[in-house]
Amino acid sequence: MTTTERLPLTRERIIEAAVAFADEHGIDDLSMRKLGAELGVEAMSLYNHVDNKDDIYDGMINYVFESIEMPSEGVDWRTGIRDICASAMEILWTHSWAVITLMQRGNFGPSALSFMNEVVGRLRNAGLNDEDIHHGWQMLASHTMGYASQAATNPGVMEQKLSNLQAMMAENEERYPHVAALGPLLSECQWDREYMFGLEIILDGLEARLN
Amino acid sequence: MTTTERLPLTRERIIEAAVAFADEHGIDDLSMRKLGAELGVEAMSLYNHVDNKDDIYDGMINYVFESIEMPSEGVDWRTGIRDICASAMEILWTHSWAVITLMQRGNFGPSALSFMNEVVGRLRNAGLNDEDIHHGWQMLASHTMGYASQAATNPGVMEQKLSNLQAMMAENEERYPHVAALGPLLSECQWDREYMFGLEIILDGLEARLN
DNA sequence: ACCTGAACACCGTTCAAGT
DNA sequence: ACCTGAACACCGTTCAAGT
């Protein structure tokens, strides 16, 4: 905020500032005017480096997916996919706005396509046929996006902010008995471990299709 | 638009109009002013029956989840869950804004809790222990929300609107070779059948944990 | 080439005023 | 009790004007 104001404005700097802002204040609070202020510039200056706000969203998503770590080509397909997915979940967790924004935009940018290409390549390496590769990718993508979005809106207990689900349950134990019976398992859900558990079931299912 | 204008305004009528509007024009175009106009009323009148716009979103989500059909208690657990999930996917498909709005709100209303309660109850009936019931629910929820959101943003071929993924691929075949190799499988993806395929793998994985 | 001020057409929401 | 008009504090985006 003090020394950075003199740096020339670039698309890259705008995207990075937008990511930082969304991480701190949430993506709903992000506006062109506030983003400009963060960069020591009027909102309208941003349009010299960026098409519009959607373009910024796409850039943010791309920026986040770029940091997914790809394991070496050497490892076997299961550990390869496991590692890619674990890395993806970790970065989606730290940028909790990313999944939902991606879903809204419905736009796979270059880095999301690289992620997809990497997973699909390893499924092919495993020896699956094209149809099962396709099934596998769709399952892994849905699993990852589903857990990431649930984790994003249901913060763990450490966040002390009681989830909406917990609040609703507290008043309606008799109306949703089966949900109530799960009690602590729901409120103390560790999304990363839960995610990896489900991942193994999917990988088991795919492995069973290797003949 | 002609005869309905005289009906008294109610929360219910507002929610129904909002759902119809979102179905037709997409949820991003929904505004208090437009919704009022749809009901022959000024935007400010809505606040007599509704807290604010978020309250409308919650009402819309609840309205949609209410129409999920619950099979009879008699059927075995697998077909029961299969039928509930198939119904859920169908209604989430027809109201393509619903999943993303639910994820953004992060708010399980009464009817979403009923859906959850029904699925969890049937997992319990299957004979799973509490931990596996919890795992099962999280997997089924993620699977459903993940596919629904992907289906919502990647319309089938019949919609003739080429998906963003297809457009991106057309220009970068050599950059994402494994993705490109899947070609028609991706562009002609039938989300409902794909969803049911993955559902079976999850149910297989859960069934294997019955001892 | 890049930044700005003023303006346009919208938002959600509040509040005093009407009936 | 319910609806309204005017107002407030915001939006994203355009465009002519500055340097």
Side-chain angles (χ1 to χ4, degrees), chain B residues 102-169:
Chain B
L102 172 61
M103 286 170 167
Q104 264 171 317
R105 296 284 310 132
N107 199 347
F108 263 48
S111 62
L113 273 175
S114 287
F115 165 65
M116 177 176 178
N117 190 64
E118 199 78 17
V119 172
V120 169
R122 284 164 203 266
L123 290 172
R124 181 172 302 279
N125 248 330
L128 292 169
N129 65 37
D130 276 13
E131 288 208 355
D132 287 341
I133 293 172
H134 180 236
H135 290 142
W137 160 252
Q138 300 295 4
M139 287 198 78
L140 294 170
S142 286
H143 184 68
T144 304
M145 290 166 66
Y147 272 73
S149 73
Q150 286 196 82
T153 49
N154 287 346
V157 214
M158 43 285 299
E159 323 274 338
Q160 83 244 36
K161 176 186 134 194
L162 192 76
S163 78
N164 273 313
L165 191 140
Q166 285 305 108
M168 179 68 92
M169 282 309 304

